């Protein structure tokens, strides 16, 4: 992967108490005196990926990552019994980012996020525009009803009918008109076998449609019980609440980003987060540049995506 910088070790790591009984795991890499960038993982349950550090020139950037509430090495984990989900919302995550920025004594930072990470990036930047130097987004997702319906109510099923059939299999036929609601009950079912089967089916569906071409590596990752349970439970918690956003809020309020330069990297054939959302955001955000990657789907490793992201981070490294 020549479009990534070489593997880079974590330089510093630790836990930050953000209140509500939560502690988030944070790490840094790169130049401690470099341009600060905060990297927001997807999911919302994916957690930190070591590859995410490699989008940035380590000589130029101070690279900051954290596991969002309930994920990775943050505590409590979503898989723990009786975890309080009422204090795990989009706005809690935005607040966590501010606590982390203040803890690191940073005036401002670049914000980088893909998929759900793009959702959080927009929510943060629209809440705290004075704290954001630039924004880089990939595979834009704003949790509108139309976007959720595309993935989970039959839109993408037109492209992946066999995989959609497998996605519906755990749901009783009389509940299939609302898969999100049905899956929310299944992944929190008292029977562990039911919970795990449902989580794997939910997660495997996204793994099947994430890349332009089928990739066994994605299937194996998304079908892993350890990954799937966190991924499904947090996603369903957020999606059942519309991520605590008003319908269309993130695009409607994109004018708050005026003056913040940014790059939107979007796969032309993204079946998870179709390009129409990225295009609408670009129209509403006057200082953005839209890069449509012609041979790519949603996956960051699809052809052209890594190169476009590296071009974006390189373009801002000295500003």
């Amino acid at each position: 992967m020549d479009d990534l910088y070489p593997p880079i070790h974590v330089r510093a790591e630790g836990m930050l108490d953000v209140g509500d009984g939560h502690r988030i795991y944070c790490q840094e890499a790169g130049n401690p005196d470099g341009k600060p960038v905060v990297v927001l993982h997807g999911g919302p349950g994916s957690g930190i990926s070591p590859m995410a550090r490699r989008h940035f020139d380590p000589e130029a950037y101070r690279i900051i990552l954290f596991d969002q509430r309930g994920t990775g090495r943050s505590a409590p984990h979503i898989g723990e019994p009786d975890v309080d989900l009422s204090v795990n919302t989009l706005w809690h995550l935005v607040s966590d980012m501010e606590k982390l920025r203040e803890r690191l004594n940073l005036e401002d930072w670049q914000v980088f996020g893909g998929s759900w990470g793009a959702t959080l990036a927009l929510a943060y930047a629209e809440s705290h525009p004075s704290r954001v130097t630039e924004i880089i987004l990939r595979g834009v997702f704003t949790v509108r009803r139309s976007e959720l319906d595309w993935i989970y109510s039959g839109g993408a099923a037109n492209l992946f009918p066999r995989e959609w059939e497998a996605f519906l299999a755990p749901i009783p036929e009389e509940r299939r008109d609302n898969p999100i609601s049905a899956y929310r009950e299944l992944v929190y079912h008292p029977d562990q076998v039911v919970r795990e089967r449902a989580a794997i089916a939910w997660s495997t569906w996204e793994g099947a449609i994430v890349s332009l071409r089928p990739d066994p590596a994605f299937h194996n990752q998304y079908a892993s019980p350890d990954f799937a349970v966190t991924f499904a439970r947090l996603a369903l918690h957020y999606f059942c609440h519309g991520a605590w956003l008003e319908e269309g809020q993130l695009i409607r309020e994109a004018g708050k980003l005026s003056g913040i330069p940014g790059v939107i990297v979007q796969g032309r054939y993204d079946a998870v987060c179709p390009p129409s959302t990225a295009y609408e955001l670009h129209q509403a955000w006057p200082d953005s540049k839209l890069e449509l990657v012609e041979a790519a789907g949603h996956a960051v490793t699809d052809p052209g995506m890594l190169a476009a992201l590296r071009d974006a981070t390189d373009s801002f490294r000295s500003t």
Side-chain angles (χ1 to χ4, degrees), residues 162-204:
R162 181 178 301 168
E163 293 82 358
W164 178 250
E165 184 178 24
F167 173 73
L168 292 179
I171 306 174
E173 288 192 20
E174 66 273 13
R175 298 293 309 281
R176 291 180 181 178
D177 61 327
N178 191 340
I180 290 179
S181 175
Y183 261 107
R184 174 63 190 272
E185 293 181 14
L186 289 169
V187 301
Y188 288 96
H189 194 279
D191 186 326
Q192 181 179 350
V193 173
V194 173
R195 291 198 306 268
E196 188 169 293
R197 176 175 178 247
I200 291 171
W202 171 275
S203 181
T204 301

mmCIF file of all heavy atoms in Angstrom, residues 162-204:
data_model
loop_
_atom_site.group_PDB
_atom_site.id
_atom_site.type_symbol
_atom_site.label_atom_id
_atom_site.label_comp_id
_atom_site.label_asym_id
_atom_site.label_seq_id
_atom_site.Cartn_x
_atom_site.Cartn_y
_atom_site.Cartn_z
ATOM 1 N N ARG A 162 -28.629 -11.604 -2.523
ATOM 2 C CA ARG A 162 -28.320 -12.809 -1.751
ATOM 3 C C ARG A 162 -27.882 -12.440 -0.338
ATOM 4 O O ARG A 162 -28.311 -13.054 0.641
ATOM 5 C CB ARG A 162 -27.227 -13.609 -2.456
ATOM 6 C CG ARG A 162 -26.858 -14.908 -1.744
ATOM 7 C CD ARG A 162 -25.804 -15.668 -2.531
ATOM 8 N NE ARG A 162 -26.278 -15.990 -3.869
ATOM 9 C CZ ARG A 162 -25.490 -16.436 -4.849
ATOM 10 N NH1 ARG A 162 -24.195 -16.593 -4.631
ATOM 11 N NH2 ARG A 162 -25.999 -16.705 -6.035
ATOM 12 N N GLU A 163 -27.044 -11.424 -0.232
ATOM 13 C CA GLU A 163 -26.568 -10.989 1.076
ATOM 14 C C GLU A 163 -27.712 -10.384 1.900
ATOM 15 O O GLU A 163 -27.753 -10.539 3.119
ATOM 16 C CB GLU A 163 -25.441 -9.971 0.893
ATOM 17 C CG GLU A 163 -24.167 -10.550 0.288
ATOM 18 C CD GLU A 163 -24.203 -10.675 -1.231
ATOM 19 O OE1 GLU A 163 -25.248 -10.343 -1.848
ATOM 20 O OE2 GLU A 163 -23.193 -11.114 -1.809
ATOM 21 N N TRP A 164 -28.636 -9.716 1.245
ATOM 22 C CA TRP A 164 -29.798 -9.151 1.928
ATOM 23 C C TRP A 164 -30.677 -10.254 2.507
ATOM 24 O O TRP A 164 -31.195 -10.139 3.618
ATOM 25 C CB TRP A 164 -30.595 -8.282 0.963
ATOM 26 C CG TRP A 164 -31.836 -7.675 1.537
ATOM 27 C CD1 TRP A 164 -33.119 -8.002 1.232
ATOM 28 C CD2 TRP A 164 -31.909 -6.638 2.519
ATOM 29 N NE1 TRP A 164 -33.993 -7.226 1.957
ATOM 30 C CE2 TRP A 164 -33.284 -6.383 2.757
ATOM 31 C CE3 TRP A 164 -30.958 -5.894 3.216
ATOM 32 C CZ2 TRP A 164 -33.718 -5.419 3.661
ATOM 33 C CZ3 TRP A 164 -31.394 -4.933 4.116
ATOM 34 C CH2 TRP A 164 -32.754 -4.708 4.337
ATOM 35 N N GLU A 165 -30.821 -11.329 1.768
ATOM 36 C CA GLU A 165 -31.606 -12.461 2.258
ATOM 37 C C GLU A 165 -30.995 -13.005 3.548
ATOM 38 O O GLU A 165 -31.713 -13.329 4.502
ATOM 39 C CB GLU A 165 -31.688 -13.548 1.192
ATOM 40 C CG GLU A 165 -32.554 -14.734 1.566
ATOM 41 C CD GLU A 165 -32.651 -15.761 0.455
ATOM 42 O OE1 GLU A 165 -31.730 -15.817 -0.394
ATOM 43 O OE2 GLU A 165 -33.641 -16.510 0.437
ATOM 44 N N ALA A 166 -29.666 -13.094 3.583
ATOM 45 C CA ALA A 166 -28.989 -13.567 4.785
ATOM 46 C C ALA A 166 -29.153 -12.570 5.935
ATOM 47 O O ALA A 166 -29.282 -12.963 7.098
ATOM 48 C CB ALA A 166 -27.504 -13.791 4.493
ATOM 49 N N PHE A 167 -29.167 -11.285 5.604
ATOM 50 C CA PHE A 167 -29.365 -10.254 6.622
ATOM 51 C C PHE A 167 -30.746 -10.368 7.271
ATOM 52 O O PHE A 167 -30.896 -10.194 8.484
ATOM 53 C CB PHE A 167 -29.194 -8.878 5.979
ATOM 54 C CG PHE A 167 -29.526 -7.721 6.871
ATOM 55 C CD1 PHE A 167 -28.682 -7.358 7.910
ATOM 56 C CD2 PHE A 167 -30.681 -6.962 6.667
ATOM 57 C CE1 PHE A 167 -28.979 -6.282 8.740
ATOM 58 C CE2 PHE A 167 -30.989 -5.888 7.493
ATOM 59 C CZ PHE A 167 -30.133 -5.553 8.519
ATOM 60 N N LEU A 168 -31.746 -10.667 6.496
ATOM 61 C CA LEU A 168 -33.106 -10.773 7.012
ATOM 62 C C LEU A 168 -33.373 -12.072 7.769
ATOM 63 O O LEU A 168 -34.328 -12.150 8.549
ATOM 64 C CB LEU A 168 -34.120 -10.656 5.863
ATOM 65 C CG LEU A 168 -34.232 -9.299 5.173
ATOM 66 C CD1 LEU A 168 -35.263 -9.385 4.051
ATOM 67 C CD2 LEU A 168 -34.603 -8.193 6.152
ATOM 68 N N ALA A 169 -32.528 -13.086 7.542
ATOM 69 C CA ALA A 169 -32.809 -14.431 8.059
ATOM 70 C C ALA A 169 -33.097 -14.482 9.557
ATOM 71 O O ALA A 169 -34.014 -15.201 9.980
ATOM 72 C CB ALA A 169 -31.668 -15.375 7.693
ATOM 73 N N PRO A 170 -32.377 -13.768 10.419
ATOM 74 C CA PRO A 170 -32.662 -13.879 11.864
ATOM 75 C C PRO A 170 -33.960 -13.200 12.302
ATOM 76 O O PRO A 170 -34.402 -13.392 13.438
ATOM 77 C CB PRO A 170 -31.451 -13.188 12.521
ATOM 78 C CG PRO A 170 -30.404 -13.126 11.468
ATOM 79 C CD PRO A 170 -31.143 -13.001 10.177
ATOM 80 N N ILE A 171 -34.569 -12.404 11.437
ATOM 81 C CA ILE A 171 -35.735 -11.609 11.821
ATOM 82 C C ILE A 171 -37.014 -12.386 11.488
ATOM 83 O O ILE A 171 -37.174 -12.858 10.362
ATOM 84 C CB ILE A 171 -35.758 -10.260 11.067
ATOM 85 C CG1 ILE A 171 -34.451 -9.504 11.248
ATOM 86 C CG2 ILE A 171 -36.934 -9.411 11.540
ATOM 87 C CD1 ILE A 171 -34.370 -8.232 10.419
ATOM 88 N N PRO A 172 -37.940 -12.516 12.431
ATOM 89 C CA PRO A 172 -39.239 -13.123 12.104
ATOM 90 C C PRO A 172 -39.899 -12.376 10.945
ATOM 91 O O PRO A 172 -39.776 -11.149 10.836
ATOM 92 C CB PRO A 172 -40.042 -12.962 13.397
ATOM 93 C CG PRO A 172 -39.013 -12.802 14.472
ATOM 94 C CD PRO A 172 -37.854 -12.100 13.843
ATOM 95 N N GLU A 173 -40.562 -13.103 10.075
ATOM 96 C CA GLU A 173 -41.122 -12.497 8.867
ATOM 97 C C GLU A 173 -42.029 -11.316 9.175
ATOM 98 O O GLU A 173 -42.037 -10.313 8.442
ATOM 99 C CB GLU A 173 -41.870 -13.554 8.045
ATOM 100 C CG GLU A 173 -40.947 -14.550 7.360
ATOM 101 C CD GLU A 173 -41.663 -15.387 6.327
ATOM 102 O OE1 GLU A 173 -42.745 -14.972 5.867
ATOM 103 O OE2 GLU A 173 -41.145 -16.453 5.966
ATOM 104 N N GLU A 174 -42.780 -11.395 10.255
ATOM 105 C CA GLU A 174 -43.711 -10.311 10.573
ATOM 106 C C GLU A 174 -43.011 -9.048 11.060
ATOM 107 O O GLU A 174 -43.639 -7.998 11.212
ATOM 108 C CB GLU A 174 -44.725 -10.775 11.633
ATOM 109 C CG GLU A 174 -44.151 -11.073 13.005
ATOM 110 C CD GLU A 174 -43.636 -12.512 13.146
ATOM 111 O OE1 GLU A 174 -43.495 -13.191 12.108
ATOM 112 O OE2 GLU A 174 -43.375 -12.929 14.296
ATOM 113 N N ARG A 175 -41.685 -9.115 11.289
ATOM 114 C CA ARG A 175 -40.941 -7.937 11.773
ATOM 115 C C ARG A 175 -40.037 -7.350 10.690
ATOM 116 O O ARG A 175 -39.321 -6.378 10.955
ATOM 117 C CB ARG A 175 -40.079 -8.331 12.983
ATOM 118 C CG ARG A 175 -40.832 -8.824 14.203
ATOM 119 C CD ARG A 175 -41.661 -7.706 14.848
ATOM 120 N NE ARG A 175 -40.869 -6.507 15.094
ATOM 121 C CZ ARG A 175 -40.037 -6.347 16.116
ATOM 122 N NH1 ARG A 175 -39.893 -7.327 17.006
ATOM 123 N NH2 ARG A 175 -39.360 -5.222 16.280
ATOM 124 N N ARG A 176 -40.054 -7.888 9.512
ATOM 125 C CA ARG A 176 -39.072 -7.480 8.507
ATOM 126 C C ARG A 176 -39.361 -6.136 7.863
ATOM 127 O O ARG A 176 -38.567 -5.652 7.059
ATOM 128 C CB ARG A 176 -38.943 -8.583 7.446
ATOM 129 C CG ARG A 176 -38.282 -9.833 8.000
ATOM 130 C CD ARG A 176 -38.125 -10.938 6.991
ATOM 131 N NE ARG A 176 -37.499 -12.113 7.619
ATOM 132 C CZ ARG A 176 -37.267 -13.257 6.987
ATOM 133 N NH1 ARG A 176 -37.624 -13.406 5.705
ATOM 134 N NH2 ARG A 176 -36.693 -14.265 7.631
ATOM 135 N N ASP A 177 -40.490 -5.517 8.203
ATOM 136 C CA ASP A 177 -40.762 -4.188 7.677
ATOM 137 C C ASP A 177 -39.930 -3.122 8.383
ATOM 138 O O ASP A 177 -39.808 -1.994 7.888
ATOM 139 C CB ASP A 177 -42.254 -3.854 7.809
ATOM 140 C CG ASP A 177 -42.710 -3.856 9.263
ATOM 141 O OD1 ASP A 177 -42.172 -4.664 10.053
ATOM 142 O OD2 ASP A 177 -43.603 -3.067 9.610
ATOM 143 N N ASN A 178 -39.326 -3.476 9.515
ATOM 144 C CA ASN A 178 -38.487 -2.530 10.256
ATOM 145 C C ASN A 178 -37.278 -3.282 10.818
ATOM 146 O O ASN A 178 -37.209 -3.583 12.013
ATOM 147 C CB ASN A 178 -39.280 -1.879 11.394
ATOM 148 C CG ASN A 178 -38.539 -0.704 12.025
ATOM 149 O OD1 ASN A 178 -37.314 -0.575 11.901
ATOM 150 N ND2 ASN A 178 -39.266 0.162 12.703
ATOM 151 N N PRO A 179 -36.294 -3.582 9.959
ATOM 152 C CA PRO A 179 -35.141 -4.378 10.408
ATOM 153 C C PRO A 179 -34.349 -3.746 11.544
ATOM 154 O O PRO A 179 -33.851 -4.456 12.413
ATOM 155 C CB PRO A 179 -34.285 -4.508 9.143
ATOM 156 C CG PRO A 179 -35.255 -4.372 8.013
ATOM 157 C CD PRO A 179 -36.259 -3.364 8.497
ATOM 158 N N ILE A 180 -34.230 -2.425 11.573
ATOM 159 C CA ILE A 180 -33.451 -1.792 12.638
ATOM 160 C C ILE A 180 -34.087 -2.056 13.993
ATOM 161 O O ILE A 180 -33.406 -2.445 14.953
ATOM 162 C CB ILE A 180 -33.302 -0.279 12.378
ATOM 163 C CG1 ILE A 180 -32.368 -0.042 11.183
ATOM 164 C CG2 ILE A 180 -32.760 0.434 13.614
ATOM 165 C CD1 ILE A 180 -32.173 1.418 10.829
ATOM 166 N N SER A 181 -35.390 -1.869 14.097
ATOM 167 C CA SER A 181 -36.083 -2.120 15.353
ATOM 168 C C SER A 181 -35.993 -3.581 15.757
ATOM 169 O O SER A 181 -35.739 -3.913 16.928
ATOM 170 C CB SER A 181 -37.551 -1.703 15.227
ATOM 171 O OG SER A 181 -38.265 -2.036 16.391
ATOM 172 N N ALA A 182 -36.173 -4.485 14.783
ATOM 173 C CA ALA A 182 -36.117 -5.909 15.085
ATOM 174 C C ALA A 182 -34.727 -6.327 15.552
ATOM 175 O O ALA A 182 -34.580 -7.074 16.531
ATOM 176 C CB ALA A 182 -36.520 -6.714 13.851
ATOM 177 N N TYR A 183 -33.702 -5.823 14.885
ATOM 178 C CA TYR A 183 -32.336 -6.177 15.267
ATOM 179 C C TYR A 183 -31.967 -5.591 16.630
ATOM 180 O O TYR A 183 -31.200 -6.193 17.381
ATOM 181 C CB TYR A 183 -31.340 -5.710 14.198
ATOM 182 C CG TYR A 183 -30.934 -6.815 13.257
ATOM 183 C CD1 TYR A 183 -31.400 -6.861 11.956
ATOM 184 C CD2 TYR A 183 -30.068 -7.823 13.671
ATOM 185 C CE1 TYR A 183 -31.023 -7.867 11.085
ATOM 186 C CE2 TYR A 183 -29.675 -8.841 12.813
ATOM 187 C CZ TYR A 183 -30.157 -8.856 11.523
ATOM 188 O OH TYR A 183 -29.777 -9.874 10.675
ATOM 189 N N ARG A 184 -32.499 -4.416 16.951
ATOM 190 C CA ARG A 184 -32.199 -3.832 18.272
ATOM 191 C C ARG A 184 -32.642 -4.796 19.372
ATOM 192 O O ARG A 184 -31.932 -4.989 20.365
ATOM 193 C CB ARG A 184 -32.912 -2.487 18.419
ATOM 194 C CG ARG A 184 -32.801 -1.847 19.813
ATOM 195 C CD ARG A 184 -31.367 -1.508 20.179
ATOM 196 N NE ARG A 184 -31.223 -1.116 21.572
ATOM 197 C CZ ARG A 184 -31.360 0.117 22.049
ATOM 198 N NH1 ARG A 184 -31.656 1.104 21.232
ATOM 199 N NH2 ARG A 184 -31.195 0.368 23.325
ATOM 200 N N GLU A 185 -33.799 -5.402 19.219
ATOM 201 C CA GLU A 185 -34.271 -6.367 20.215
ATOM 202 C C GLU A 185 -33.399 -7.624 20.223
ATOM 203 O O GLU A 185 -33.077 -8.161 21.284
ATOM 204 C CB GLU A 185 -35.722 -6.732 19.927
ATOM 205 C CG GLU A 185 -36.704 -5.592 20.134
ATOM 206 C CD GLU A 185 -38.133 -6.019 19.869
ATOM 207 O OE1 GLU A 185 -38.393 -7.237 19.784
ATOM 208 O OE2 GLU A 185 -39.002 -5.128 19.744
ATOM 209 N N LEU A 186 -32.996 -8.062 19.035
ATOM 210 C CA LEU A 186 -32.230 -9.305 18.946
ATOM 211 C C LEU A 186 -30.841 -9.180 19.565
ATOM 212 O O LEU A 186 -30.378 -10.093 20.263
ATOM 213 C CB LEU A 186 -32.110 -9.742 17.484
ATOM 214 C CG LEU A 186 -33.403 -10.254 16.831
ATOM 215 C CD1 LEU A 186 -33.215 -10.392 15.322
ATOM 216 C CD2 LEU A 186 -33.821 -11.588 17.437
ATOM 217 N N VAL A 187 -30.151 -8.063 19.333
ATOM 218 C CA VAL A 187 -28.775 -7.956 19.840
ATOM 219 C C VAL A 187 -28.729 -7.675 21.339
ATOM 220 O O VAL A 187 -27.665 -7.760 21.949
ATOM 221 C CB VAL A 187 -27.947 -6.906 19.074
ATOM 222 C CG1 VAL A 187 -27.863 -7.245 17.600
ATOM 223 C CG2 VAL A 187 -28.457 -5.504 19.310
ATOM 224 N N TYR A 188 -29.891 -7.351 21.924
ATOM 225 C CA TYR A 188 -29.975 -7.207 23.376
ATOM 226 C C TYR A 188 -30.851 -8.301 23.985
ATOM 227 O O TYR A 188 -31.324 -8.173 25.118
ATOM 228 C CB TYR A 188 -30.507 -5.813 23.738
ATOM 229 C CG TYR A 188 -29.486 -4.731 23.484
ATOM 230 C CD1 TYR A 188 -29.499 -3.997 22.302
ATOM 231 C CD2 TYR A 188 -28.479 -4.465 24.413
ATOM 232 C CE1 TYR A 188 -28.550 -3.010 22.052
ATOM 233 C CE2 TYR A 188 -27.532 -3.482 24.169
ATOM 234 C CZ TYR A 188 -27.575 -2.761 22.989
ATOM 235 O OH TYR A 188 -26.624 -1.790 22.748
ATOM 236 N N HIS A 189 -31.034 -9.386 23.259
ATOM 237 C CA HIS A 189 -31.849 -10.523 23.725
ATOM 238 C C HIS A 189 -31.175 -11.180 24.934
ATOM 239 O O HIS A 189 -29.939 -11.228 25.028
ATOM 240 C CB HIS A 189 -32.002 -11.529 22.579
ATOM 241 C CG HIS A 189 -33.069 -12.546 22.796
ATOM 242 N ND1 HIS A 189 -32.874 -13.678 23.570
ATOM 243 C CD2 HIS A 189 -34.344 -12.619 22.332
ATOM 244 C CE1 HIS A 189 -33.984 -14.399 23.560
ATOM 245 N NE2 HIS A 189 -34.891 -13.786 22.826
ATOM 246 N N PRO A 190 -31.951 -11.701 25.886
ATOM 247 C CA PRO A 190 -31.336 -12.343 27.063
ATOM 248 C C PRO A 190 -30.543 -13.610 26.737
ATOM 249 O O PRO A 190 -29.650 -13.993 27.500
ATOM 250 C CB PRO A 190 -32.529 -12.659 27.972
ATOM 251 C CG PRO A 190 -33.734 -12.565 27.097
ATOM 252 C CD PRO A 190 -33.409 -11.574 26.033
ATOM 253 N N ASP A 191 -30.843 -14.242 25.619
ATOM 254 C CA ASP A 191 -30.141 -15.465 25.224
ATOM 255 C C ASP A 191 -28.876 -15.084 24.454
ATOM 256 O O ASP A 191 -28.934 -14.455 23.395
ATOM 257 C CB ASP A 191 -31.061 -16.326 24.351
ATOM 258 C CG ASP A 191 -30.466 -17.693 24.020
ATOM 259 O OD1 ASP A 191 -29.234 -17.786 23.874
ATOM 260 O OD2 ASP A 191 -31.237 -18.652 23.882
ATOM 261 N N GLN A 192 -27.716 -15.477 24.981
ATOM 262 C CA GLN A 192 -26.446 -15.105 24.356
ATOM 263 C C GLN A 192 -26.330 -15.627 22.930
ATOM 264 O O GLN A 192 -25.781 -14.950 22.056
ATOM 265 C CB GLN A 192 -25.268 -15.621 25.185
ATOM 266 C CG GLN A 192 -23.912 -15.240 24.601
ATOM 267 C CD GLN A 192 -22.752 -15.735 25.451
ATOM 268 O OE1 GLN A 192 -22.952 -16.199 26.559
ATOM 269 N NE2 GLN A 192 -21.546 -15.620 24.936
ATOM 270 N N VAL A 193 -26.842 -16.826 22.664
ATOM 271 C CA VAL A 193 -26.769 -17.404 21.320
ATOM 272 C C VAL A 193 -27.544 -16.541 20.338
ATOM 273 O O VAL A 193 -27.080 -16.249 19.227
ATOM 274 C CB VAL A 193 -27.298 -18.854 21.319
ATOM 275 C CG1 VAL A 193 -27.373 -19.390 19.900
ATOM 276 C CG2 VAL A 193 -26.408 -19.736 22.182
ATOM 277 N N VAL A 194 -28.713 -16.097 20.740
ATOM 278 C CA VAL A 194 -29.528 -15.225 19.883
ATOM 279 C C VAL A 194 -28.814 -13.901 19.657
ATOM 280 O O VAL A 194 -28.755 -13.386 18.524
ATOM 281 C CB VAL A 194 -30.919 -15.001 20.515
ATOM 282 C CG1 VAL A 194 -31.712 -13.967 19.719
ATOM 283 C CG2 VAL A 194 -31.687 -16.306 20.605
ATOM 284 N N ARG A 195 -28.266 -13.334 20.732
ATOM 285 C CA ARG A 195 -27.563 -12.052 20.622
ATOM 286 C C ARG A 195 -26.400 -12.130 19.643
ATOM 287 O O ARG A 195 -26.249 -11.279 18.765
ATOM 288 C CB ARG A 195 -27.020 -11.621 21.993
ATOM 289 C CG ARG A 195 -28.042 -11.222 23.017
ATOM 290 C CD ARG A 195 -27.406 -10.409 24.148
ATOM 291 N NE ARG A 195 -26.269 -11.064 24.772
ATOM 292 C CZ ARG A 195 -26.361 -11.846 25.845
ATOM 293 N NH1 ARG A 195 -27.544 -12.114 26.377
ATOM 294 N NH2 ARG A 195 -25.279 -12.373 26.389
ATOM 295 N N GLU A 196 -25.597 -13.151 19.786
ATOM 296 C CA GLU A 196 -24.397 -13.255 18.969
ATOM 297 C C GLU A 196 -24.749 -13.551 17.509
ATOM 298 O O GLU A 196 -24.157 -12.965 16.593
ATOM 299 C CB GLU A 196 -23.476 -14.342 19.519
ATOM 300 C CG GLU A 196 -22.125 -14.377 18.833
ATOM 301 C CD GLU A 196 -21.145 -15.269 19.569
ATOM 302 O OE1 GLU A 196 -20.768 -14.912 20.711
ATOM 303 O OE2 GLU A 196 -20.767 -16.308 19.002
ATOM 304 N N ARG A 197 -25.710 -14.424 17.282
ATOM 305 C CA ARG A 197 -26.120 -14.738 15.908
ATOM 306 C C ARG A 197 -26.626 -13.479 15.207
ATOM 307 O O ARG A 197 -26.289 -13.201 14.054
ATOM 308 C CB ARG A 197 -27.202 -15.818 15.910
ATOM 309 C CG ARG A 197 -27.755 -16.139 14.517
ATOM 310 C CD ARG A 197 -28.735 -17.308 14.579
ATOM 311 N NE ARG A 197 -29.293 -17.588 13.266
ATOM 312 C CZ ARG A 197 -30.569 -17.420 12.929
ATOM 313 N NH1 ARG A 197 -31.436 -16.973 13.838
ATOM 314 N NH2 ARG A 197 -31.002 -17.711 11.726
ATOM 315 N N ALA A 198 -27.436 -12.700 15.916
ATOM 316 C CA ALA A 198 -27.977 -11.478 15.328
ATOM 317 C C ALA A 198 -26.869 -10.461 15.046
ATOM 318 O O ALA A 198 -26.851 -9.817 13.992
ATOM 319 C CB ALA A 198 -29.025 -10.880 16.253
ATOM 320 N N ALA A 199 -25.949 -10.305 15.985
ATOM 321 C CA ALA A 199 -24.862 -9.339 15.805
ATOM 322 C C ALA A 199 -24.008 -9.700 14.599
ATOM 323 O O ALA A 199 -23.619 -8.824 13.806
ATOM 324 C CB ALA A 199 -24.005 -9.276 17.064
ATOM 325 N N ILE A 200 -23.713 -10.978 14.434
ATOM 326 C CA ILE A 200 -22.900 -11.411 13.299
ATOM 327 C C ILE A 200 -23.644 -11.170 11.986
ATOM 328 O O ILE A 200 -23.057 -10.702 11.000
ATOM 329 C CB ILE A 200 -22.496 -12.892 13.458
ATOM 330 C CG1 ILE A 200 -21.495 -13.029 14.618
ATOM 331 C CG2 ILE A 200 -21.904 -13.442 12.170
ATOM 332 C CD1 ILE A 200 -21.192 -14.454 15.003
ATOM 333 N N ALA A 201 -24.935 -11.442 11.954
ATOM 334 C CA ALA A 201 -25.716 -11.223 10.732
ATOM 335 C C ALA A 201 -25.769 -9.735 10.383
ATOM 336 O O ALA A 201 -25.627 -9.351 9.214
ATOM 337 C CB ALA A 201 -27.123 -11.785 10.903
ATOM 338 N N TRP A 202 -25.982 -8.898 11.399
ATOM 339 C CA TRP A 202 -26.008 -7.451 11.174
ATOM 340 C C TRP A 202 -24.673 -6.961 10.632
ATOM 341 O O TRP A 202 -24.597 -6.235 9.634
ATOM 342 C CB TRP A 202 -26.339 -6.738 12.487
ATOM 343 C CG TRP A 202 -26.182 -5.250 12.428
ATOM 344 C CD1 TRP A 202 -25.038 -4.526 12.610
ATOM 345 C CD2 TRP A 202 -27.215 -4.287 12.145
ATOM 346 N NE1 TRP A 202 -25.285 -3.187 12.477
ATOM 347 C CE2 TRP A 202 -26.607 -3.012 12.189
ATOM 348 C CE3 TRP A 202 -28.576 -4.382 11.879
ATOM 349 C CZ2 TRP A 202 -27.323 -1.839 11.964
ATOM 350 C CZ3 TRP A 202 -29.296 -3.218 11.664
ATOM 351 C CH2 TRP A 202 -28.671 -1.967 11.695
ATOM 352 N N SER A 203 -23.600 -7.367 11.287
ATOM 353 C CA SER A 203 -22.268 -6.914 10.916
ATOM 354 C C SER A 203 -21.839 -7.462 9.559
ATOM 355 O O SER A 203 -21.263 -6.739 8.730
ATOM 356 C CB SER A 203 -21.277 -7.340 12.001
ATOM 357 O OG SER A 203 -19.977 -6.902 11.698
ATOM 358 N N THR A 204 -22.140 -8.721 9.296
ATOM 359 C CA THR A 204 -21.731 -9.354 8.042
ATOM 360 C C THR A 204 -22.381 -8.680 6.845
ATOM 361 O O THR A 204 -21.794 -8.617 5.763
ATOM 362 C CB THR A 204 -22.065 -10.851 8.070
ATOM 363 O OG1 THR A 204 -21.385 -11.459 9.181
ATOM 364 C CG2 THR A 204 -21.622 -11.546 6.794
#
